[in-house]
Amino acid sequence: MELIVISAPDTVTDEAQIINRLFGAGLQRFHLRKPDWNLDQCTNLITQIDQAYHHAIVCHQHHRLAKVFEMHYLHYPEKDRIKSDHLDLNIQLNQGYRLSTSIHDVSATSSLKHFEYTFLSPVFNSISKPGYQSMLPAGFCLDRNKSGPKIIALGGVDITNLNLLKKMNFDGAAVLGAIWQDPKQAVSNFISIKKQTEQLNP
């Protein structure tokens, strides 16, 4: 099971140092999602992250930064994907970028041929967004026989429900609140979650 960390949407004290430590602890992919940040703010944060990890950072906005910092991934939030041009997506694929997106309805996976993986949310009640409730019915299980991108669970994911995600046939888990709700425990919480996901891998 893959494990992805998403940034806190707002400023976090010593954020770059924490991100460096997360990568040092084995993080393979980090989604930089700062919806209210301008280009300079995002640039400043990335500059403070060790260059050795830049290839594993995924931009949610200000995609031009991917070329500047030699990133390998681009993310399209759902509203941006809907407005995107297939020709532009093909160009990015041909340039070697790997693309991801977000959905809130599993039936949307049939239209995601350009994307390597997608977040499906909210799977559980959100930790970081009070009132953001699970949208999945009881007994939900993904059909592993269907083609399409990998599906990563997002929303309320923490160490207590990783086993359930495995039973639901998700390809991976994305964590946000479980990491950033207490930044001082971010790295130790990540290590615990990472160990659990590794135990769930075949």
Side-chain angles (χ1 to χ4, degrees):
M1 177 176 284
E2 295 186 31
L3 178 59
I4 294 171
V5 171
I6 301 177
S7 70
D10 303 312
T11 301
V12 175
T13 301
D14 298 325
E15 187 168 12
Q17 292 89 332
I18 294 172
I19 294 167
N20 280 324
R21 291 173 60 204
L22 289 170
F23 276 119
L27 178 62
Q28 297 296 307
R29 201 166 313 154
F30 177 76
H31 276 246
L32 180 59
R33 177 187 174 274
K34 300 285 190 180
D36 296 324
W37 278 25
N38 61 34
L39 182 66
D40 288 343
Q41 288 174 298
C42 290
T43 299
N44 182 54
L45 178 60
I46 298 169
T47 301
Q48 297 178 64
I49 298 171
D50 193 312
Q51 187 176 351
Y53 304 135
H54 287 177
H55 70 281
I57 299 174
V58 187
C59 277
H60 277 232
Q61 62 276 326
H62 309 305
H63 281 180
R64 71 187 83 171
L65 292 173
K67 185 174 183 179
V68 174
F69 290 101
E70 298 184 350
M71 301 175 185
H72 295 178
Y73 296 89
L74 297 173
H75 184 85
Y76 280 81
E78 188 169 44
K79 61 182 176 59
D80 293 338
R81 182 192 75 245
I82 291 170
K83 296 185 294 184
S84 66
D85 184 282
H86 284 196
L87 179 60
D88 291 337
L89 296 177
N90 283 327
I91 290 172
Q92 290 175 344
L93 290 173
N94 291 334
Q95 290 175 338
Y97 289 110
R98 298 163 70 178
L99 308 181
S100 62
T101 189
S102 304
I103 58 174
H104 297 86
D105 182 345
V106 71
S107 66
T109 56
S110 60
S111 63
L112 304 181
K113 67 176 184 177
H114 295 90
F115 297 90
E116 182 175 315
Y117 62 93
T118 183
F119 295 135
L120 175 63
S121 70
V123 174
F124 304 115
N125 296 342
S126 176
I127 298 170
S128 60
K129 298 179 181 179
Y132 195 45
Q133 303 293 304
S134 170
M135 45 74 74
L136 299 182
F140 175 82
C141 187
L142 290 166
D143 184 353
R144 296 305 296 257
N145 296 316
K146 284 189 175 182
S147 60
K150 293 179 181 179
I151 302 179
I152 309 296
L154 172 62
V157 177
D158 62 19
I159 197 168
T160 68
N161 49 38
L162 295 172
N163 284 323
L164 181 55
L165 291 181
K166 183 71 173 180
K167 292 177 181 177
M168 296 163 78
N169 284 334
F170 279 96
D171 297 292
V175 288
L176 196 168
I179 301 297
W180 300 109
Q181 192 172 42
D182 184 358
K184 292 181 179 179
Q185 299 299 319
V187 177
S188 59
N189 286 346
F190 168 75
I191 291 172
S192 298
I193 294 169
K194 179 174 178 289
K195 288 180 179 177
Q196 182 73 6
T197 57
E198 289 171 346
Q199 291 173 5
L200 294 172
N201 288 334

